[in-house]
Amino acid sequence: MKHFGNFIAFLILALNALFISALLLTAYSPHIQPTVHPVEACMGLTFPIFLLINAGFLLFWLIIQRYRSALLPLAGFLLCYGQIRTYLPVNFHTKKLPENSFKLLSYNIMGFDGAVKKEGKNPILSYLKESNADILCLQEYATAESPKHISQKDVERTLKAYPYHHISMIGNTKGYANKMACYSKFPILSAHTVDYDSRYNGSVVYEIKIGKDTVTLINNHLESNKLTKTDKDVYNDILKSPEKEKVKSGARLILHKLAEASAIRAPQADAVADEVARSPHPSVIVCGDFNDTPISYTHRVIAKDLDDAFTESGCGPGISYNQNKFYFRIDNILISKNLKAYNCTVDRSIKDSDHYPIWCYMTINN
């Protein structure tokens, strides 16, 4: 009986080794070039699944007191510690912020949720006013000249605490108005779009004067994942009723769309990383809707010489997309090494857009 038990334990250990290999493969998949291997580059999406499975193996080995076997998942966790910390950081917020700190908020506002007024107000616009942020970086910015909708004058009247603002058209599709906006309590010295090809998406570079320092700020809305409402319905059907054929056909369809978007997004990320490298100022902030997870080529390339504010000062998975059961952090604030982040938060208190806002306090350390 003892030999049989050992044999079963060996089989489980072998299975554990297989899942550890899968974990490491997904952890290091951001080094795969999406334009060459688009499907393989999407493996990072499954990183949390394999992380959870291997955590279960670790708990199993500890419960049955096979401590030597527990070294296998522990070794796997150590080999991808950086990715685990990026995906699931644990930090405590501070109540005492430095006096020279400023607050930046990034938010995909989904056109103010159609720019509709509700009882004369718009909840997203009210949230922005009450956020007490010093800089607002907004994606999918849209207003409408109609009594029932938010107009540009309504925005400027509500956000009068922000004397400086810049609104940019992005994308190269005629007749489709996708905009990015930056509202700031600090002077915006200049603004220009990043040169890359996209029909609906874009990035805007601002120079902002904060005290004696000039900061390069890059606001982004990178390539979306091209999932239609029908695709999202297929995904939800898979979750509700995971039948073999349904999972197989649905997963193939969704993976194809994700891989296609990943291949388009890769050169956009390269272009943003080039802007970071060319910045004439030591202080750089990159924020916005990356439409990709923390374990991705997009995040790795852009964050190469930057710190992730959420990793440094946030806590938990920080899921920032709130619809269709796509539980990922795709909105980011990245900062240069001379900046320090405090209390980075994905704010789940407002659900009027398909994204949650992400904000943090930071200081410039010279």
Side-chain angles (χ1 to χ4, degrees), residues 128-149:
L128 294 174
K129 177 185 177 182
E130 296 163 7
S131 69
N132 198 35
D134 297 291
I135 301 172
L136 303 172
C137 287
L138 309 176
Q139 303 90 43
E140 293 193 26
Y141 182 92
T143 56
E145 301 304 319
S146 160
K148 294 182 179 180
H149 295 83

PDB file of all heavy atoms in Angstrom, residues 128-149:
ATOM      1  N   LEU A 128     -15.092  63.118 -11.928  1.00  0.00           N
ATOM      2  CA  LEU A 128     -13.838  63.787 -12.271  1.00  0.00           C
ATOM      3  C   LEU A 128     -13.678  65.080 -11.468  1.00  0.00           C
ATOM      4  O   LEU A 128     -12.593  65.384 -10.971  1.00  0.00           O
ATOM      5  CB  LEU A 128     -13.794  64.089 -13.769  1.00  0.00           C
ATOM      6  CG  LEU A 128     -13.744  62.871 -14.707  1.00  0.00           C
ATOM      7  CD1 LEU A 128     -13.862  63.318 -16.153  1.00  0.00           C
ATOM      8  CD2 LEU A 128     -12.469  62.072 -14.492  1.00  0.00           C
ATOM      9  N   LYS A 129     -14.771  65.809 -11.328  1.00  0.00           N
ATOM     10  CA  LYS A 129     -14.720  67.061 -10.572  1.00  0.00           C
ATOM     11  C   LYS A 129     -14.354  66.815  -9.113  1.00  0.00           C
ATOM     12  O   LYS A 129     -13.578  67.557  -8.515  1.00  0.00           O
ATOM     13  CB  LYS A 129     -16.079  67.766 -10.657  1.00  0.00           C
ATOM     14  CG  LYS A 129     -16.154  69.053  -9.852  1.00  0.00           C
ATOM     15  CD  LYS A 129     -17.546  69.640  -9.886  1.00  0.00           C
ATOM     16  CE  LYS A 129     -17.635  70.891  -9.019  1.00  0.00           C
ATOM     17  NZ  LYS A 129     -19.013  71.457  -9.012  1.00  0.00           N
ATOM     18  N   GLU A 130     -14.913  65.743  -8.533  1.00  0.00           N
ATOM     19  CA  GLU A 130     -14.716  65.462  -7.109  1.00  0.00           C
ATOM     20  C   GLU A 130     -13.471  64.619  -6.824  1.00  0.00           C
ATOM     21  O   GLU A 130     -13.173  64.326  -5.665  1.00  0.00           O
ATOM     22  CB  GLU A 130     -15.954  64.749  -6.563  1.00  0.00           C
ATOM     23  CG  GLU A 130     -17.212  65.607  -6.620  1.00  0.00           C
ATOM     24  CD  GLU A 130     -18.497  64.799  -6.466  1.00  0.00           C
ATOM     25  OE1 GLU A 130     -18.388  63.583  -6.180  1.00  0.00           O
ATOM     26  OE2 GLU A 130     -19.587  65.376  -6.645  1.00  0.00           O
ATOM     27  N   SER A 131     -12.735  64.237  -7.869  1.00  0.00           N
ATOM     28  CA  SER A 131     -11.583  63.348  -7.694  1.00  0.00           C
ATOM     29  C   SER A 131     -10.408  64.010  -6.997  1.00  0.00           C
ATOM     30  O   SER A 131      -9.530  63.340  -6.449  1.00  0.00           O
ATOM     31  CB  SER A 131     -11.125  62.824  -9.057  1.00  0.00           C
ATOM     32  OG  SER A 131     -10.547  63.880  -9.823  1.00  0.00           O
ATOM     33  N   ASN A 132     -10.356  65.334  -7.054  1.00  0.00           N
ATOM     34  CA  ASN A 132      -9.244  66.085  -6.459  1.00  0.00           C
ATOM     35  C   ASN A 132      -7.903  65.742  -7.123  1.00  0.00           C
ATOM     36  O   ASN A 132      -6.849  65.900  -6.531  1.00  0.00           O
ATOM     37  CB  ASN A 132      -9.155  65.838  -4.947  1.00  0.00           C
ATOM     38  CG  ASN A 132      -8.324  66.914  -4.245  1.00  0.00           C
ATOM     39  OD1 ASN A 132      -8.347  68.075  -4.636  1.00  0.00           O
ATOM     40  ND2 ASN A 132      -7.580  66.522  -3.218  1.00  0.00           N
ATOM     41  N   ALA A 133      -7.961  65.247  -8.348  1.00  0.00           N
ATOM     42  CA  ALA A 133      -6.728  64.963  -9.084  1.00  0.00           C
ATOM     43  C   ALA A 133      -6.158  66.262  -9.646  1.00  0.00           C
ATOM     44  O   ALA A 133      -6.892  67.206  -9.950  1.00  0.00           O
ATOM     45  CB  ALA A 133      -7.001  63.977 -10.209  1.00  0.00           C
ATOM     46  N   ASP A 134      -4.849  66.303  -9.790  1.00  0.00           N
ATOM     47  CA  ASP A 134      -4.188  67.475 -10.373  1.00  0.00           C
ATOM     48  C   ASP A 134      -4.092  67.363 -11.890  1.00  0.00           C
ATOM     49  O   ASP A 134      -4.054  68.372 -12.589  1.00  0.00           O
ATOM     50  CB  ASP A 134      -2.789  67.633  -9.773  1.00  0.00           C
ATOM     51  CG  ASP A 134      -2.834  67.885  -8.277  1.00  0.00           C
ATOM     52  OD1 ASP A 134      -3.282  68.970  -7.878  1.00  0.00           O
ATOM     53  OD2 ASP A 134      -2.451  66.982  -7.504  1.00  0.00           O
ATOM     54  N   ILE A 135      -4.042  66.106 -12.384  1.00  0.00           N
ATOM     55  CA  ILE A 135      -3.983  65.869 -13.827  1.00  0.00           C
ATOM     56  C   ILE A 135      -4.977  64.762 -14.165  1.00  0.00           C
ATOM     57  O   ILE A 135      -4.993  63.714 -13.518  1.00  0.00           O
ATOM     58  CB  ILE A 135      -2.571  65.453 -14.280  1.00  0.00           C
ATOM     59  CG1 ILE A 135      -1.532  66.531 -13.921  1.00  0.00           C
ATOM     60  CG2 ILE A 135      -2.540  65.174 -15.779  1.00  0.00           C
ATOM     61  CD1 ILE A 135      -0.095  66.095 -14.167  1.00  0.00           C
ATOM     62  N   LEU A 136      -5.806  65.004 -15.174  1.00  0.00           N
ATOM     63  CA  LEU A 136      -6.756  64.007 -15.658  1.00  0.00           C
ATOM     64  C   LEU A 136      -6.350  63.590 -17.067  1.00  0.00           C
ATOM     65  O   LEU A 136      -6.252  64.436 -17.964  1.00  0.00           O
ATOM     66  CB  LEU A 136      -8.174  64.585 -15.701  1.00  0.00           C
ATOM     67  CG  LEU A 136      -8.759  65.144 -14.406  1.00  0.00           C
ATOM     68  CD1 LEU A 136     -10.083  65.858 -14.702  1.00  0.00           C
ATOM     69  CD2 LEU A 136      -8.975  64.034 -13.383  1.00  0.00           C
ATOM     70  N   CYS A 137      -6.109  62.310 -17.270  1.00  0.00           N
ATOM     71  CA  CYS A 137      -5.844  61.774 -18.603  1.00  0.00           C
ATOM     72  C   CYS A 137      -7.040  60.923 -19.001  1.00  0.00           C
ATOM     73  O   CYS A 137      -7.318  59.895 -18.376  1.00  0.00           O
ATOM     74  CB  CYS A 137      -4.570  60.933 -18.609  1.00  0.00           C
ATOM     75  SG  CYS A 137      -3.064  61.922 -18.482  1.00  0.00           S
ATOM     76  N   LEU A 138      -7.738  61.343 -20.046  1.00  0.00           N
ATOM     77  CA  LEU A 138      -9.010  60.717 -20.411  1.00  0.00           C
ATOM     78  C   LEU A 138      -8.914  60.098 -21.798  1.00  0.00           C
ATOM     79  O   LEU A 138      -8.397  60.709 -22.735  1.00  0.00           O
ATOM     80  CB  LEU A 138     -10.128  61.755 -20.385  1.00  0.00           C
ATOM     81  CG  LEU A 138     -10.229  62.590 -19.088  1.00  0.00           C
ATOM     82  CD1 LEU A 138     -11.324  63.644 -19.224  1.00  0.00           C
ATOM     83  CD2 LEU A 138     -10.477  61.694 -17.890  1.00  0.00           C
ATOM     84  N   GLN A 139      -9.417  58.866 -21.906  1.00  0.00           N
ATOM     85  CA  GLN A 139      -9.471  58.173 -23.195  1.00  0.00           C
ATOM     86  C   GLN A 139     -10.935  58.009 -23.609  1.00  0.00           C
ATOM     87  O   GLN A 139     -11.825  58.020 -22.767  1.00  0.00           O
ATOM     88  CB  GLN A 139      -8.795  56.798 -23.100  1.00  0.00           C
ATOM     89  CG  GLN A 139      -7.345  56.840 -22.644  1.00  0.00           C
ATOM     90  CD  GLN A 139      -7.199  56.741 -21.134  1.00  0.00           C
ATOM     91  OE1 GLN A 139      -7.872  55.932 -20.489  1.00  0.00           O
ATOM     92  NE2 GLN A 139      -6.324  57.557 -20.553  1.00  0.00           N
ATOM     93  N   GLU A 140     -11.137  57.851 -24.924  1.00  0.00           N
ATOM     94  CA  GLU A 140     -12.488  57.787 -25.505  1.00  0.00           C
ATOM     95  C   GLU A 140     -13.308  58.991 -25.053  1.00  0.00           C
ATOM     96  O   GLU A 140     -14.435  58.871 -24.565  1.00  0.00           O
ATOM     97  CB  GLU A 140     -13.184  56.470 -25.157  1.00  0.00           C
ATOM     98  CG  GLU A 140     -12.536  55.257 -25.814  1.00  0.00           C
ATOM     99  CD  GLU A 140     -13.385  54.003 -25.735  1.00  0.00           C
ATOM    100  OE1 GLU A 140     -14.622  54.115 -25.645  1.00  0.00           O
ATOM    101  OE2 GLU A 140     -12.812  52.908 -25.759  1.00  0.00           O
ATOM    102  N   TYR A 141     -12.712  60.160 -25.254  1.00  0.00           N
ATOM    103  CA  TYR A 141     -13.326  61.426 -24.861  1.00  0.00           C
ATOM    104  C   TYR A 141     -14.282  61.874 -25.959  1.00  0.00           C
ATOM    105  O   TYR A 141     -13.926  61.924 -27.130  1.00  0.00           O
ATOM    106  CB  TYR A 141     -12.230  62.471 -24.650  1.00  0.00           C
ATOM    107  CG  TYR A 141     -12.719  63.825 -24.201  1.00  0.00           C
ATOM    108  CD1 TYR A 141     -12.811  64.135 -22.850  1.00  0.00           C
ATOM    109  CD2 TYR A 141     -13.063  64.807 -25.129  1.00  0.00           C
ATOM    110  CE1 TYR A 141     -13.246  65.383 -22.434  1.00  0.00           C
ATOM    111  CE2 TYR A 141     -13.497  66.053 -24.730  1.00  0.00           C
ATOM    112  CZ  TYR A 141     -13.590  66.338 -23.368  1.00  0.00           C
ATOM    113  OH  TYR A 141     -14.023  67.575 -22.953  1.00  0.00           O
ATOM    114  N   ALA A 142     -15.521  62.190 -25.584  1.00  0.00           N
ATOM    115  CA  ALA A 142     -16.495  62.646 -26.575  1.00  0.00           C
ATOM    116  C   ALA A 142     -17.550  63.506 -25.896  1.00  0.00           C
ATOM    117  O   ALA A 142     -17.992  63.215 -24.777  1.00  0.00           O
ATOM    118  CB  ALA A 142     -17.160  61.460 -27.270  1.00  0.00           C
ATOM    119  N   THR A 143     -17.936  64.570 -26.583  1.00  0.00           N
ATOM    120  CA  THR A 143     -19.023  65.429 -26.118  1.00  0.00           C
ATOM    121  C   THR A 143     -20.014  65.589 -27.276  1.00  0.00           C
ATOM    122  O   THR A 143     -19.743  65.195 -28.410  1.00  0.00           O
ATOM    123  CB  THR A 143     -18.497  66.809 -25.693  1.00  0.00           C
ATOM    124  OG1 THR A 143     -17.768  67.399 -26.788  1.00  0.00           O
ATOM    125  CG2 THR A 143     -17.580  66.680 -24.482  1.00  0.00           C
ATOM    126  N   ALA A 144     -21.166  66.170 -26.984  1.00  0.00           N
ATOM    127  CA  ALA A 144     -22.177  66.371 -28.025  1.00  0.00           C
ATOM    128  C   ALA A 144     -22.928  67.671 -27.753  1.00  0.00           C
ATOM    129  O   ALA A 144     -23.216  68.002 -26.594  1.00  0.00           O
ATOM    130  CB  ALA A 144     -23.146  65.193 -28.067  1.00  0.00           C
ATOM    131  N   GLU A 145     -23.228  68.397 -28.818  1.00  0.00           N
ATOM    132  CA  GLU A 145     -23.939  69.668 -28.676  1.00  0.00           C
ATOM    133  C   GLU A 145     -25.445  69.407 -28.723  1.00  0.00           C
ATOM    134  O   GLU A 145     -26.092  69.497 -29.761  1.00  0.00           O
ATOM    135  CB  GLU A 145     -23.509  70.640 -29.777  1.00  0.00           C
ATOM    136  CG  GLU A 145     -22.026  70.946 -29.783  1.00  0.00           C
ATOM    137  CD  GLU A 145     -21.539  71.490 -28.454  1.00  0.00           C
ATOM    138  OE1 GLU A 145     -22.248  72.319 -27.832  1.00  0.00           O
ATOM    139  OE2 GLU A 145     -20.435  71.092 -28.028  1.00  0.00           O
ATOM    140  N   SER A 146     -25.993  69.035 -27.556  1.00  0.00           N
ATOM    141  CA  SER A 146     -27.414  68.712 -27.457  1.00  0.00           C
ATOM    142  C   SER A 146     -27.849  68.940 -26.012  1.00  0.00           C
ATOM    143  O   SER A 146     -27.065  68.701 -25.085  1.00  0.00           O
ATOM    144  CB  SER A 146     -27.649  67.252 -27.863  1.00  0.00           C
ATOM    145  OG  SER A 146     -28.869  66.788 -27.355  1.00  0.00           O
ATOM    146  N   PRO A 147     -29.084  69.411 -25.803  1.00  0.00           N
ATOM    147  CA  PRO A 147     -29.555  69.657 -24.425  1.00  0.00           C
ATOM    148  C   PRO A 147     -29.507  68.419 -23.537  1.00  0.00           C
ATOM    149  O   PRO A 147     -29.364  68.524 -22.323  1.00  0.00           O
ATOM    150  CB  PRO A 147     -30.997  70.132 -24.624  1.00  0.00           C
ATOM    151  CG  PRO A 147     -31.031  70.672 -26.008  1.00  0.00           C
ATOM    152  CD  PRO A 147     -30.081  69.818 -26.800  1.00  0.00           C
ATOM    153  N   LYS A 148     -29.627  67.219 -24.132  1.00  0.00           N
ATOM    154  CA  LYS A 148     -29.637  65.990 -23.359  1.00  0.00           C
ATOM    155  C   LYS A 148     -28.240  65.400 -23.146  1.00  0.00           C
ATOM    156  O   LYS A 148     -28.093  64.411 -22.439  1.00  0.00           O
ATOM    157  CB  LYS A 148     -30.527  64.947 -24.039  1.00  0.00           C
ATOM    158  CG  LYS A 148     -32.005  65.310 -24.065  1.00  0.00           C
ATOM    159  CD  LYS A 148     -32.807  64.200 -24.709  1.00  0.00           C
ATOM    160  CE  LYS A 148     -34.296  64.547 -24.723  1.00  0.00           C
ATOM    161  NZ  LYS A 148     -35.095  63.455 -25.355  1.00  0.00           N
ATOM    162  N   HIS A 149     -27.242  66.009 -23.780  1.00  0.00           N
ATOM    163  CA  HIS A 149     -25.901  65.448 -23.745  1.00  0.00           C
ATOM    164  C   HIS A 149     -24.886  66.439 -23.179  1.00  0.00           C
ATOM    165  O   HIS A 149     -25.141  67.636 -23.095  1.00  0.00           O
ATOM    166  CB  HIS A 149     -25.473  65.018 -25.151  1.00  0.00           C
ATOM    167  CG  HIS A 149     -26.288  63.911 -25.718  1.00  0.00           C
ATOM    168  ND1 HIS A 149     -27.507  64.130 -26.332  1.00  0.00           N
ATOM    169  CD2 HIS A 149     -26.087  62.574 -25.766  1.00  0.00           C
ATOM    170  CE1 HIS A 149     -28.012  62.978 -26.734  1.00  0.00           C
ATOM    171  NE2 HIS A 149     -27.175  62.011 -26.398  1.00  0.00           N
TER     172      HIS A 149
END
